[in-house]
């Protein structure tokens, strides 16, 4: 893989699909969750992680283990939805066999909604970050590296003397701009150039509706990013990666018409032309 260094203290992983079943197992876009977490960690704690999207890289489980172990990290964070959790546990176990003192942190939807059950079911996970992980993960990493107390960090679930401590949801700033943007530069750029033809963008988090079939992972309060920051992010993405297809990951992209007009005005002001889906 093409990274600037041979060793990184923190590696963030989007786990592989052991069996290719659907298009999401071989995507043409990188995982945005670990990209946000990685960028926030770098900007706020001056710790530069490496991001490995095993699905985008077309890695097998063995290849993902080998690539991770080769970087000799001290902390590995893995994001998983429910259908990924068994593969994720297998991946974590394999990494721990190679690096016995490594710390494995689970993030993502599955751990968020079932933190205690997940720690009881999978001993290989040392911590679970609950909810939006940027702030909680960064604080946890800093506390672990500095041998400080992590027990009061909001959004962290862990074992202590045989008991599971659940600090509930982590911090979520009202102004979404505070979280920055995805750190696409932390990925292997050769992989990005080879497989990435679409880049996801988030202009807001949260949904005001309460549909009983939906997990609403970002809550019911809608928090939006500044329109100019979103426009500049998309413009840089197109310049850096040549992608003219953008996907907005907002849960309700067009619900607030005034916000949508502000965004479109920014696109027009910057002479931006691109296709998007939402």
């Amino acid at each position: 893989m093409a990274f600037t260094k041979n060793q990184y203290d923190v590696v963030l992983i989007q786990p592989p699909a052991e069996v290719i079943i659907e298009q999401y197992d071989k995507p043409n876009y990188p995982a945005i969750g670990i990209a946000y977490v990685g960028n926030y960690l770098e900007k706020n704690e001056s710790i530069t992680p490496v991001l490995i999207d095993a699905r985008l890289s077309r890695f097998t489980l063995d290849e993902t283990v080998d690539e991770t172990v080769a970087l000799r990290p001290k902390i590995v964070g893995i994001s998983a939805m429910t259908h990924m959790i068994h593969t994720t546990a297998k991946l974590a176990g394999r990494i721990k066999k190679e690096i016995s003192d490594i710390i494995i942190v689970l993030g993502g939807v599955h751990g968020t909604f079932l933190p205690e059950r997940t720690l009881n079911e999978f001993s290989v996970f040392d911590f679970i970050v609950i909810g939006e992980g940027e702030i909680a993960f960064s604080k946890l990493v800093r506390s672990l590296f500095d041998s400080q107390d992590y027990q009061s960090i909001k959004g962290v679930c862990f074992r202590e003397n045989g008991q599971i401590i659940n600090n509930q949801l982590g911090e979520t700033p009202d102004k979404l701009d505070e979280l920055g943007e995805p750190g696409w530069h932390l990925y292997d750029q050769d992989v990005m150039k080879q497989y990435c033809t679409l880049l996801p963008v988030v202009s807001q988090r949260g949904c005001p509706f309460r549909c009983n079939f939906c997990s609403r992972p970002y809550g019911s309060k809608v928090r939006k990013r500044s329109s100019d920051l979103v426009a500049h992010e998309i413009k840089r993405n197109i310049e850096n990666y040549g992608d003219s297809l953008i996907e907005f990951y907002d849960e309700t992209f067009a619900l607030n018409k005034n916000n949508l007009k502000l965004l479109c005005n920014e696109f027009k002001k910057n002479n931006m032309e691109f296709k998007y889906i939402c």
Side-chain angles (χ1 to χ4, degrees):
M1 299 185 76
F3 294 120
T4 57
K5 298 190 300 182
N6 294 324
Q7 192 271 329
Y8 287 83
D9 288 338
V10 179
V11 174
L12 299 175
I13 304 173
Q14 186 76 359
E18 290 189 87
V19 179
I20 304 301
I21 298 175
E22 54 187 354
Q23 62 180 6
Y24 305 109
D25 297 329
K26 293 180 66 176
N28 62 335
Y29 53 86
I32 194 171
I34 58 174
Y36 260 108
V37 172
N39 195 59
Y40 189 88
L41 178 65
E42 182 178 52
K43 294 294 185 293
N44 290 272
E45 299 295 342
S46 299
I47 298 171
T48 299
V50 149
L51 309 184
I52 297 176
D53 186 338
R55 281 172 158 76
L56 180 67
S57 302
R58 310 310 193 241
F59 283 167
T60 63
L61 183 62
D62 288 343
E63 289 170 331
T64 308
V65 173
D66 291 343
E67 295 290 346
T68 304
V69 171
L71 295 168
R72 292 173 288 133
K74 299 174 183 175
I75 298 174
V76 166
I78 312 177
S79 178
M81 299 177 73
T82 295
H83 72 285
M84 306 174 182
I85 194 64
H86 287 282
T87 298
T88 301
K90 192 182 298 184
L91 172 64
R94 294 273 301 276
I95 294 171
K96 276 201 168 185
K97 281 186 178 180
E98 299 294 331
I99 309 175
S100 60
D101 59 346
I102 201 164
I103 295 171
I104 304 286
V105 183
L106 177 71
V109 175
H110 185 84
T112 289
F113 287 101
L114 299 168
E116 293 95 345
R117 172 177 165 177
T118 303
L119 285 183
N120 281 324
E121 190 173 357
F122 303 104
S123 62
V124 72
F125 302 129
D126 300 298
F127 295 90
I128 292 179
V129 169
I130 302 171
E132 297 175 41
E134 290 90 350
I135 297 175
F137 183 77
S138 294
K139 287 186 174 182
L140 176 62
V141 168
R142 174 52 64 196
S143 67
L144 291 171
F145 282 163
D146 293 349
S147 299
Q148 296 175 349
D149 179 25
Y150 54 76
Q151 296 194 3
S152 61
I153 299 175
K154 292 182 179 179
V156 175
C157 186
F158 55 94
R159 303 178 193 86
E160 185 70 24
N161 297 323
Q163 301 294 317
I164 292 179
I165 309 299
N166 183 349
N167 289 339
Q168 305 303 320
L169 287 173
E171 297 176 56
T172 53
D174 290 332
K175 295 183 178 179
L176 208 54
D177 293 346
E178 294 178 26
L179 295 182
E181 59 186 53
W184 303 129
H185 65 288
L186 301 172
Y187 277 111
D188 183 336
Q189 295 305 292
D190 290 343
V191 170
M192 291 284 284
K193 290 174 183 176
Q194 183 174 0
Y195 296 114
C196 179
T197 59
L198 178 151
L199 276 173
V201 173
V202 170
S203 72
Q204 59 188 346
R205 291 182 183 180
C207 177
F209 304 113
R210 297 181 180 274
C211 304
N212 61 8
F213 57 80
C214 180
S215 63
R216 290 183 295 114
Y218 294 116
S220 56
K221 182 178 180 180
V222 178
R223 294 163 292 141
K224 73 181 190 70
R225 296 173 62 200
S226 299
S227 300
D228 59 330
L229 295 182
V230 176
H232 291 155
E233 177 188 330
I234 293 173
K235 192 171 184 178
R236 282 195 304 276
N237 286 348
I238 294 173
E239 290 171 352
N240 292 338
Y241 299 104
D243 296 313
S244 57
L245 180 59
I246 301 296
E247 180 170 5
F248 287 97
Y249 273 22
D250 304 15
E251 292 163 284
T252 50
F253 177 66
L255 181 65
N256 189 317
K257 300 298 187 294
N258 289 330
N259 288 343
L260 188 57
K261 287 179 182 178
L262 288 173
L263 200 54
C264 290
N265 286 336
E266 286 292 332
F267 298 153
K268 185 176 181 180
K269 186 171 71 175
N270 287 277
N271 298 314
M272 297 168 63
E273 291 186 8
F274 59 93
K275 295 180 180 180
Y276 73 90
I277 53 181
C278 65

